[in-house]
Amino acid sequence: MTLRFSVLASGSTGNAFYIETEQEKILVDAGLSGKRLDQGFKEIGVNPKELTKILVTHEHSDHIKGLGIIARKYNLPIYANEKTWKAMEGYLGKLSIDQKFHFGMEEARKFGDLDIESFGVSHDAADPMFYSFRHDGKKVSLVTDLGYVSERIKKTVEDADAYIFESNHDVSMLRMGRYPWNIKRRILGDSGHVSNEDCALALTDIITDRTKRIYLAHLSQDNNMKDLARMSVSNVLTEHGYEVGRRLELHDTDPKQPTALYVV
Ligand SMILES: [Zn+2]
Ligand SMILES: [Zn+2]
């Protein structure tokens, strides 16, 4: 009875997340080249030929770059909502009709022994959505690429054993940095990305005693640093009485290095 996952890659250059149970081996997003995805699977000791399906969150290239390639190579069904399909289809190359499936917005589905619930996020894509996974009493929530964390999202993702949660930028690094103002405004806006501080504050509302591990994700290479992200989030959680480093572990993620398979 195991639920295991790895963040294969996370960041603006490419995102891919892997989660498995006894019956399902699922890739969420394929924002890396086919070669890099294969390399990532090799590093975590998973045979990509055993994948059962791919879920897609939204059509930004850092989430779908290798999608067509990997789906063809392993003949995998792809699940996405209707608007995302429309927005990304032209970039995927040729797929057969039996590879295209719908996973609706705010829908709960069961694949084998894994329950998956989608939820919408505020982000500048066609109809972006992320997922919570449940298996055998365990829950994992994947939450990145969002401008802010709404109460509705908090309800869906709360009380999970593990989180992969966006901690995109440090607000002062972004403000002081070299990005043009329109890009800064996009990142800081309601359809952009969540800062270290907003990540931490959202976490204080949703984590519970059962939460053991948090992976900080989608870290900006220009406007954040791993140590800074961990420290900022850790400070806020500690102020709120959480024992970070003891009962609750904070980890970072990397655009090039997969996290070791974690048994939830
Ligand atoms: Zn992204
Ligand atoms: Zn995005």
Side-chain angles (χ1 to χ4, degrees):
M1 291 301 199
T2 47
L3 180 61
R4 300 197 285 184
F5 70 80
S6 162
V7 182
L8 291 167
S10 185
S12 52
T13 54
N15 295 274
F17 173 72
Y18 170 72
I19 189 160
E20 67 170 30
T21 57
E22 285 79 7
Q23 293 174 16
E24 291 289 339
K25 291 177 189 289
I26 294 179
L27 177 65
V28 182
D29 289 341
L32 306 173
S33 69
K35 198 174 155 190
R36 291 247 345 262
L37 274 166
D38 279 343
Q39 181 61 34
F41 279 117
K42 197 172 167 189
E43 282 175 41
I44 62 166
V46 167
N47 182 353
K49 285 183 183 152
E50 294 176 1
L51 288 172
T52 54
K53 48 183 67 71
I54 307 176
L55 308 186
V56 180
T57 61
H58 65 299
E59 74 280 10
H60 285 163
S61 69
D62 59 320
H63 296 258
I64 65 160
K65 219 177 294 164
L67 179 58
I69 296 159
I70 205 95
R72 273 187 294 279
K73 184 166 180 188
Y74 300 112
N75 191 28
L76 290 165
I78 301 172
Y79 289 78
N81 67 42
E82 204 169 335
K83 287 182 186 158
T84 300
W85 263 119
K86 278 211 180 85
M88 72 180 180
E89 209 157 7
Y91 301 97
L92 303 184
K94 202 166 163 42
L95 292 168
S96 78
I97 190 79
D98 60 2
Q99 285 180 290
K100 298 178 194 172
F101 292 87
H102 281 107
F103 196 125
M105 172 64 78
E106 323 251 314
E107 188 180 352
R109 297 184 67 156
K110 191 175 184 66
F111 293 120
D113 56 1
L114 185 60
D115 289 292
I116 308 180
E117 189 175 355
S118 69
F119 55 90
V121 293
S122 163
H123 187 57
D124 53 0
D127 204 12
M129 64 183 198
F130 281 80
Y131 303 94
S132 269
F133 304 85
R134 287 171 196 271
H135 169 74
D136 195 30
K138 303 281 188 179
K139 177 175 176 180
V140 174
S141 293
L142 173 65
V143 193
T144 68
D145 296 77
L146 71 176
Y148 69 99
V149 189
S150 67
E151 293 308 311
R152 192 184 173 94
I153 292 174
K154 287 178 190 169
K155 272 267 159 291
T156 308
V157 306
E158 69 183 359
D159 195 26
D161 297 87
Y163 287 96
I164 302 85
F165 209 99
E166 175 161 75
S167 193
N168 179 261
H169 56 274
D170 175 78
V171 172
S172 36
M173 272 183 83
L174 176 67
R175 284 189 190 283
M176 308 284 281
R178 61 180 175 82
Y179 282 15
W181 177 241
N182 60 324
I183 306 274
K184 291 183 182 180
R185 199 167 49 195
R186 182 215 155 213
I187 298 171
L188 289 166
D190 276 355
S191 326
H193 291 280
V194 164
S195 69
N196 296 339
E197 198 182 355
D198 288 344
C199 163
L201 290 172
L203 285 169
T204 63
D205 286 339
I206 57 179
I207 62 178
T208 61
D209 284 348
R210 85 188 240 189
T211 309
K212 297 288 181 297
R213 199 175 273 224
I214 298 163
Y215 289 84
L216 302 179
H218 221 296
L219 270 63
S220 166
Q221 278 178 317
D222 296 299
N223 305 308
N224 211 350
M225 293 177 289
K226 286 179 179 175
D227 290 345
L228 177 63
R230 274 206 320 277
M231 206 169 64
S232 310
V233 174
S234 171
N235 285 346
V236 173
L237 293 181
T238 306
E239 276 167 28
H240 282 75
Y242 295 100
E243 297 178 58
V244 179
R246 296 173 62 191
R247 296 203 51 250
L248 176 66
E249 287 183 29
L250 267 187
H251 292 256
D252 45 54
T253 56
D254 194 277
K256 297 209 168 78
Q257 187 62 46
T259 63
L261 264 187
Y262 172 59
V263 181
V264 183

